[in-house]
Amino acid sequence: MATTIPTRGPETSSSQPSRGGVAAAAERALLVSLRLPRDDVYDDAAEFALLAQSAGVQVCGSVSGRCRRVDPASFVGRGKAAEVREIVAREGVSVVLVNHLLSPVQERNLEKAVGCRVLDRTGLILDIFAQRARSHEGKLQVELAQLEYLSTRLVRGWTHLERQKGGIGLRGPGETQLETDRRLLRARIKKLHRRLEKVRNQRNIRRKSRQKIPIPTVSLVGYTNTGKSSLFNCLTGAEVFEADQLFATLDPTMRRLSLAGNTSVILADTVGFIRRLPHDLIEAFKATLEEVAEADLLLHVVDSTNPERRDAMTRVNQVLAEIGADELPQMVVFNKIDLVEQAPRFERNANGAITKVWLSARTGDGIDLLKQALSEHFRSHRVRRRLQLPADSGRLRALVHEHLEVLGESATDVGGWQIEVALEPTQVAWLQKQKGFRSEYWMTDFGLVLAPTGS
């Protein structure tokens, strides 16, 4: 197995405060990333280095190589553990980050072998999430994922708590400290599940209230650090935190976006995905990811500068399948075209619908094309119909002008209005439920507003 140890690099620090994680004071870290037989499709060592930097550690070296089989005791084997221990002593490393999922026994044995703390990939991602969480919901989700991760590692993580001693005069009823810890941990996990269930119910109530007024939802999805938050801010004028680091945005944000044709959508910025996203995180963030699964359209944001963007898109689609959102319509947005000197443009499929847009969220080039694509997407199923409202239906007329696309209007001889509107099937159902509406108000159906080519 080959080993590479780069010289000491510049110190990196996180702009976000750590809450008991890896990088409370820019700890010196050594990265260990082995290529296993099952990992012959891709190598994500570079991405793991970005994860470490996002956690705020000072990366002072890396160990890589090819491993034929996993050592059940320490994962890396005795020879590689000895190499790591030598580097730890020479470079003053305080934490070893392993780009793999370690069992509690492997983590504990590796710590003993190398002489410092060891954290696996899941633990590192959880630490980054703990630094990024800002909302009450986000903090609950992160704590739940951390506790479920810790529940299998009590033997290692709680070594400062000793069991009760046995012997003459010392025997008696009561729990060992470890059993007490486990019981308290299970109780806390149950409490967090109840709180998150309450959050999920609150989200459902808000979602139902939004559905009373037919405004479609568009969710930004994609690999982490593709510029989703920058695009969200550019479209909505919001001030969501954005930075050139993995998982810069964790808490979901929703804003209303107005488009041409009196079209409005709710735009949702969500957490970015990553290779081998821990399953516990997907479970913990299910309430948040439900916003993705309930969306009417997904904007799949892709980094145009990433040479492995096709692989990243595949990983994102795999996570979408896990949360039941793989059947939703997608529009692919290739961001950061200013860095590859491409012109803004869009691409249509055989049916004339826009399926891909090239833009730059940083410069704003191509944003108008994206708005046009969104407007066409949600207007493509609208039909032109004519309404005849009596003079005492001023409230209904106001609702039509506020929420529907009005193509024309004329006054009738008896003081009412003939209004030509463009509306979707959901809007038809919504209008018919309004107080005072009668079925005889409908007059003529003229067919689709937009031609199949989108022209």
Side-chain angles (χ1 to χ4, degrees):
M1 294 186 291
T3 303
T4 58
I5 309 171
T7 57
R8 299 190 183 194
E11 183 172 328
T12 59
S13 60
S14 175
S15 60
Q16 312 255 1
S18 175
R19 290 191 286 271
V22 208
E27 296 185 64
R28 296 179 61 78
L30 176 68
L31 309 184
V32 177
S33 183
L34 303 181
R35 187 155 185 165
L36 305 176
R38 64 177 181 271
D39 295 334
D40 55 351
V41 178
Y42 61 87
D43 184 5
D44 58 357
E47 179 184 88
F48 187 61
L50 289 177
L51 277 173
Q53 293 172 6
S54 297
V57 299
Q58 179 187 354
V59 179
C60 60
S62 66
V63 174
S64 62
R66 185 179 295 274
C67 181
R68 293 184 178 179
R69 70 178 186 89
V70 173
D71 181 46
S74 64
F75 190 87
V76 299
R78 293 183 180 179
K80 187 60 67 175
E83 292 183 25
V84 172
R85 183 182 183 89
E86 179 183 348
I87 301 170
V88 166
R90 185 174 68 246
E91 300 289 332
V93 172
S94 56
V95 59
V96 172
L97 304 177
V98 182
N99 190 19
H100 304 277
L101 178 61
L102 302 180
S103 69
V105 173
Q106 290 171 336
E107 192 170 306
R108 184 175 70 250
N109 291 341
L110 190 56
E111 280 189 348
K112 293 179 180 178
V114 302
C116 73
R117 283 192 304 125
V118 172
L119 200 64
D120 66 359
R121 180 185 177 90
T122 300
L124 176 62
I125 294 176
L126 285 173
D127 178 76
I128 296 173
F129 273 48
Q131 295 182 47
R132 302 289 189 268
R134 290 292 176 266
S135 69
H136 174 66
E137 178 188 352
K139 292 175 182 179
L140 287 178
Q141 292 167 330
V142 169
E143 184 181 357
L144 175 62
Q146 286 180 318
L147 291 181
E148 290 181 337
Y149 174 78
L150 177 64
S151 63
T152 61
R153 286 165 164 76
L154 281 180
V155 176
R156 180 201 67 83
W158 296 52
T159 52
H160 64 288
L161 300 175
E162 296 180 353
R163 294 172 178 266
Q164 292 178 350
K165 295 181 180 179
I168 298 177
L170 297 177
R171 298 185 182 92
E175 297 175 299
T176 66
Q177 183 61 59
L178 187 60
E179 290 168 346
T180 303
D181 296 336
R182 285 174 175 163
R183 178 173 54 81
L184 294 175
L185 200 61
R186 288 194 296 268
R188 179 62 179 171
I189 289 175
K190 289 181 180 178
K191 186 175 182 180
L192 289 174
H193 274 296
R194 289 195 299 268
R195 287 187 177 182
L196 285 174
E197 184 62 31
K198 184 178 180 180
V199 170
R200 185 176 290 110
N201 292 335
Q202 291 172 344
R203 280 188 176 275
N204 289 333
I205 293 173
R206 290 196 295 268
R207 190 179 297 120
K208 289 179 180 178
S209 65
R210 290 199 304 267
Q211 290 172 350
K212 291 180 181 178
I213 300 177
I215 302 179
T217 302
V218 178
S219 288
L220 295 173
V221 299
Y223 216 68
T224 184
N225 203 29
T226 58
K228 295 186 302 299
S229 296
S230 299
L231 180 59
F232 183 84
N233 290 339
C234 187
L235 286 169
T236 64
E239 297 181 355
V240 173
F241 176 75
E242 53 183 90
D244 187 16
Q245 55 186 207
L246 303 187
F247 298 120
T249 302
L250 181 59
D251 299 315
T253 308
M254 307 184 78
R255 293 289 188 274
R256 184 165 176 165
L257 175 63
S258 297
L259 303 169
N262 199 17
T263 303
S264 293
V265 299
I266 299 297
L267 193 64
D269 185 22
T270 59
V271 63
F273 301 148
I274 197 173
R275 285 171 178 157
R276 293 186 284 160
L277 188 66
H279 185 71
D280 289 343
L281 279 180
I282 296 177
E283 286 297 316
F285 281 78
K286 187 169 288 184
T288 300
L289 294 175
E290 280 179 357
E291 293 293 345
V292 177
E294 296 292 333
D296 297 282
L297 175 67
L298 301 180
L299 286 186
H300 188 162
V301 185
V302 179
D303 184 355
S304 299
T305 66
N306 183 8
E308 299 180 358
R309 55 183 175 272
R310 292 186 180 275
D311 180 62
M313 293 171 68
T314 300
R315 305 294 167 186
V316 170
N317 288 327
Q318 288 175 350
V319 177
L320 291 176
E322 288 190 51
I323 62 175
D326 53 326
E327 298 297 329
L328 296 177
Q330 275 193 33
M331 186 181 297
V332 182
V333 178
F334 293 94
N335 191 19
K336 305 183 183 181
I337 62 171
D338 55 306
L339 301 180
V340 291
E341 298 182 353
Q342 291 188 17
R345 65 188 190 279
F346 56 69
E347 180 180 301
R348 298 182 185 271
N349 61 14
N351 297 324
I354 299 177
T355 56
K356 298 177 182 178
V357 181
W358 282 261
L359 55 78
S360 171
R362 188 178 68 87
T363 65
D365 293 337
I367 293 297
D368 291 340
L369 297 179
L370 177 59
K371 290 182 177 180
Q372 176 186 341
L374 291 174
S375 178
E376 283 192 15
H377 175 83
F378 289 107
R379 296 179 68 208
S380 61
H381 300 293
R382 291 183 180 179
V383 295
R384 296 169 57 198
R385 301 191 69 174
R386 184 173 293 168
L387 287 167
Q388 181 162 318
L389 301 180
D392 60 352
S393 298
R395 176 181 171 274
L396 282 175
R397 176 177 177 269
L399 286 175
V400 168
H401 278 273
E402 182 180 359
H403 298 293
L404 303 179
E405 181 182 1
V406 177
L407 303 178
E409 181 184 56
S410 60
T412 63
D413 296 335
V414 292
W417 305 273
Q418 280 192 7
I419 307 175
E420 189 175 331
V421 294
L423 67 178
E424 302 167 16
T426 56
Q427 293 175 319
V428 172
W430 166 79
L431 185 59
Q432 291 178 158
K433 292 179 181 178
Q434 300 306 306
K435 183 178 179 180
F437 188 88
R438 298 179 181 178
S439 58
E440 56 263 27
Y441 291 168
W442 293 117
M443 295 181 64
T444 313
D445 187 343
F446 297 99
L448 291 175
V449 174
L450 296 177
T453 60
S455 58

